[in-house]
Amino acid sequence: MKIEDYPLAQKLILDAEGNISQVILDYTDYKYLLEAIEDRGLLLAMREVKNEKALNLGQALAELETE
């Protein structure tokens, strides 16, 4: 485990057994990772409903009220 193997890591913190327990990131890199995770979640959600019928705002609100 070398820091060079983790390009976004500023510092690796190891536990007593030598396993990585924490990673220190630059805040900009942290925000980038969060955005990438959110984008991936949005992509998966869009794929899940791509064959469903689109609703207008009124229909969507009515659908939410029935749940």
Side-chain angles (χ1 to χ4, degrees):
M1 280 178 268
K2 295 180 279 184
I3 190 87
E4 297 83 24
D5 296 334
Y6 303 92
L8 297 180
Q10 297 293 311
K11 182 177 180 181
L12 300 176
I13 299 174
L14 307 177
D15 62 16
E17 289 82 37
N19 301 310
I20 298 172
S21 63
Q22 297 179 38
V23 178
I24 306 296
L25 299 174
D26 178 72
Y27 183 66
T28 303
D29 292 336
Y30 170 74
K31 288 186 348 183
Y32 171 80
L33 288 173
L34 284 181
E35 190 173 305
I37 291 167
E38 290 170 353
D39 288 349
R40 175 73 175 156
L42 179 59
L43 174 64
L44 294 174
M46 290 169 62
R47 284 183 179 167
E48 193 173 302
V49 298
K50 77 177 186 179
N51 294 322
E52 292 185 12
K53 178 184 166 224
L55 304 176
N56 65 35
L57 179 58
Q59 293 169 322
L61 292 173
E63 183 74 25
L64 286 173
E65 287 179 10
T66 62
E67 291 181 2

